[in-house]
Amino acid sequence: MIKGSPYYKIIENRGNVILLGDSIGDVHMADGIQHEICLTIGFLNHNVEDYLDNYLETFDIVVIDDGPMDIVNYILNACSKDSKN
């Protein structure tokens, strides 16, 4: 839980979260943070056939088989451009 940690003070007033995780439980890393939007990106690197459906139900975006960080970089670049306007 992030609330009560030293890190919480840094992020407590941010309204948006981009959460990256490589296990189903990681989706709860933003629990305890007030946010308007939480975009979750899951990385599925093993047993893809067994876990894909679960990851697709849990995360907004799923990257499989050690896929590139292109989607993450694209989203961050888009957010950066919007914040400059």
Side-chain angles (χ1 to χ4, degrees), residues 14-58:
R14 296 184 182 178
N16 302 312
V17 174
I18 299 175
L19 186 149
L20 309 176
D22 64 356
S23 71
I24 295 295
D26 288 345
V27 78
H28 297 290
M29 289 188 293
D31 290 357
I33 300 172
Q34 295 291 332
H35 52 270
E36 294 175 33
I37 298 171
C38 182
L39 176 66
T40 59
I41 303 173
F43 293 87
L44 177 55
N45 301 315
H46 58 85
N47 301 335
V48 174
E49 290 181 15
D50 295 334
Y51 295 113
L52 184 58
D53 288 341
N54 199 5
Y55 270 66
L56 290 171
E57 290 176 13
T58 303

Side-chain angles (χ1 to χ4, degrees), residues 61-80:
I61 298 170
V62 176
V63 179
I64 59 171
D65 291 330
D66 271 336
M69 294 288 287
D70 293 350
I71 187 68
V72 176
N73 290 329
Y74 178 82
I75 292 166
L76 293 175
N77 286 334
C79 292
S80 176

